[in-house]
Amino acid sequence: MRVLVQRVSQARVTVAERVTGEIGRGLLLLVCAMQGDTEAEAEKLAARVAKLRIFRDAAEKMNLSVQDVGGAALVVSQFTLAADTSRGNRPGFSTAAPPEIGERLYQHFAAHLRGLGLTVEMGEFGADMAVALVNDGPVTIWMDSAERG
């Protein structure tokens, strides 16, 4: 699985002018399931995200997690994180998980974050979404379950 983590002061996702998820301080998580990904990988990645120390402590150092600061997560499906641009100007997405598996893993990732005590809001899988955010910092971090065992 891949996730693009953005530390935000606020974020919102809308589908057809209807807000499907909105948070204040926390993390906007753009999530992509890749072919061969499993629930176990979704759980490991969710746990890593929840513990990621990218919020400032009293000394202004990035030393606190979203859990530590009582922040929330806005989880948005983003199959385009699977883009392969190695063969020209038009990206290919064949390494993304098929939609039915992608949706299951996306839901599992979000459920695991909830199980870790986070407040979780979500986008709508497969929908044409508009995402608005105020990136705090800015802090943007790429994570991939393939990077760790």
Side-chain angles (χ1 to χ4, degrees):
M1 279 191 98
R2 294 179 174 172
V3 61
L4 187 70
V5 179
Q6 296 184 317
R7 185 180 75 185
V8 298
S9 56
Q10 62 186 38
R12 176 181 58 243
V13 62
T14 58
V15 176
E17 300 183 31
R18 174 181 47 89
V19 175
T20 64
E22 185 169 19
I23 64 168
R25 184 180 194 196
L27 300 174
L28 171 61
L29 304 171
L30 303 176
V31 177
C32 177
M34 304 294 289
Q35 284 188 20
D37 283 343
T38 65
E39 284 82 0
E41 287 169 311
E43 291 171 11
K44 283 182 194 176
L45 194 54
R48 286 178 59 204
V49 166
K51 294 175 188 172
L52 189 62
R53 295 177 0 184
I54 60 172
F55 289 86
R56 293 183 189 97
D57 63 14
E60 293 296 312
K61 300 212 184 274
M62 287 199 304
N63 204 27
L64 301 173
S65 71
V66 68
Q67 293 173 309
D68 295 332
V69 301
L74 177 57
V75 182
V76 177
S77 62
Q78 184 77 34
F79 84 93
T80 60
L81 292 178
D84 176 1
T85 59
S86 64
R87 289 182 248 164
N89 296 323
R90 184 174 180 197
F93 303 102
S94 62
T95 58
E100 61 279 359
I101 294 171
E103 182 172 14
R104 185 180 81 237
L105 292 173
Y106 162 72
Q107 295 288 345
H108 193 78
F109 177 87
H112 196 70
L113 287 173
R114 282 189 191 97
L116 294 170
L118 289 176
T119 298
V120 175
E121 295 282 324
M122 296 179 72
E124 186 176 307
F125 187 89
D128 187 12
M129 295 176 277
V131 180
L133 69 137
V134 177
N135 194 320
D136 178 22
V139 174
T140 303
I141 296 174
W142 172 267
M143 297 176 77
D144 193 319
S145 62
E147 293 174 358
R148 242 189 205 184

